[in-house]
């Protein structure tokens, strides 16, 4: 008949697997969420630059129309200047033409600098596009990983949970409670002896006790330093056979 300590050792092995499964999945959903946020942020930045390019285009259109209008006005004024009756009228028109020329130069400046501005914006847009693409493909990859893992994960989880249940059926209640109590402090509540030390906290176990453990398999020993349940070094657990058996 198997001793309690054997079941406890198996339980600990199964719990280690369960903890690892939880850990694996633990980070992934958060990583996917963070990448989703990154893709959203990068999309917004990209759209903002597109908007700026559109704005630049509109400003260029306005400048072109206004320049055409100003040019018409100037032409008309120049013709009027030939028909003036006196110097005062002539000066007034000259003044107006000057004013138009000033306005024109403002709009010409808009057109002149828009090329460089557009070039800058397009370079930024390209950069943002490639960063967005990279983030989107990282997201797709992580999503796939999570999906894949969740599928496998559920199968594994089920397998270990079934094994855990059948192990618990063989462990008496007081011991179960004790094991769970230790689990709230240490992930590994039952650990093997290694070279006469507790493999949980590495403190040395008196040799007298090591001997007792070897021959009295019915008694449950705990580490006096960390409180973990100790099982003999030669009690090895093959978790795969626990799950299959
Ligand atoms: Zn210990």
């Amino acid at each position: 008949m198997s001793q309690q300590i054997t079941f406890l050792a198996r339980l600990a092995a199964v719990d280690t697997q369960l903890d690892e499964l939880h850990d694996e999945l633990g980070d992934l959903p958060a990583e996917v969420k963070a990448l989703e946020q990154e893709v959203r942020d990068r999309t917004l930045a990209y759209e903002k630059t597109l908007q700026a390019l559109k704005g630049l285009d509109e400003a260029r259109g306005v400048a072109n129309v206004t320049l055409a209008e100003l040019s018409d006005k100037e032409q008309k004024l120049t013709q009027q200047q030939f028909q003036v009756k006196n110097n005062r009228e002539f000066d007034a028109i000259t003044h107006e033409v000057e004013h138009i020329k000033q306005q024109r130069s403002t709009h010409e400046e808009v057109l002149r600098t828009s090329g460089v501005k557009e070039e800058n914006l397009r370079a930024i847009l390209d950069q943002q596009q490639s960063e967005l693409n990279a983030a989107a493909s990282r997201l797709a990859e992580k999503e796939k990983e999570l999906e894949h893992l969740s599928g496998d994960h559920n199968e594994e989880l089920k397998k270990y949970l079934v094994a855990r249940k059948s192990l618990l059926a063989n462990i008496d209640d007081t011991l179960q409670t004790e094991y769970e109590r230790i689990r709230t402090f240490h992930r590994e509540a039952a650990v093997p002896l290694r070279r006469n030390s507790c493999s949980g906290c590495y403190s040395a176990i008196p040799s007298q006790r090591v001997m007792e453990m070897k021959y009295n398999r019915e008694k449950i020993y705990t580490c006096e330093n960390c409180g973990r349940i100790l099982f003999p070094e030669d009690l090895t657990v093959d978790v795969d056979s626990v799950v299959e058996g």
Side-chain angles (χ1 to χ4, degrees), residues 150-209:
S150 300
D152 287 356
H153 190 270
N154 288 338
E155 282 306 300
E156 293 266 289
L157 209 61
K158 220 182 286 170
K159 206 169 70 175
Y160 287 117
L161 285 175
V162 168
R164 187 174 207 276
K165 206 173 163 190
S166 81
L167 285 170
L168 285 179
N170 288 293
I171 299 170
D172 74 54
D173 290 350
T174 333
L175 212 50
Q176 242 179 73
T177 311
E178 177 64 2
Y179 176 86
E180 297 299 349
R181 190 189 64 80
I182 301 168
R183 279 274 284 172
T184 61
F185 303 106
H186 306 293
R187 271 172 75 128
E188 294 183 310
V191 296
L193 264 181
R194 289 226 195 289
R195 295 167 190 217
N196 299 345
S197 293
C198 163
S199 62
C201 71
Y202 308 109
S203 73
I205 307 299
S207 48
Q208 168 72 23
R209 182 171 275 242

Side-chain angles (χ1 to χ4, degrees), residues 90 99 101 116 164 170 234 236:
F90 186 88
H99 182 62
K101 282 200 165 116
V116 178
R164 187 174 207 276
N170 288 293
D234 60 1
T236 51

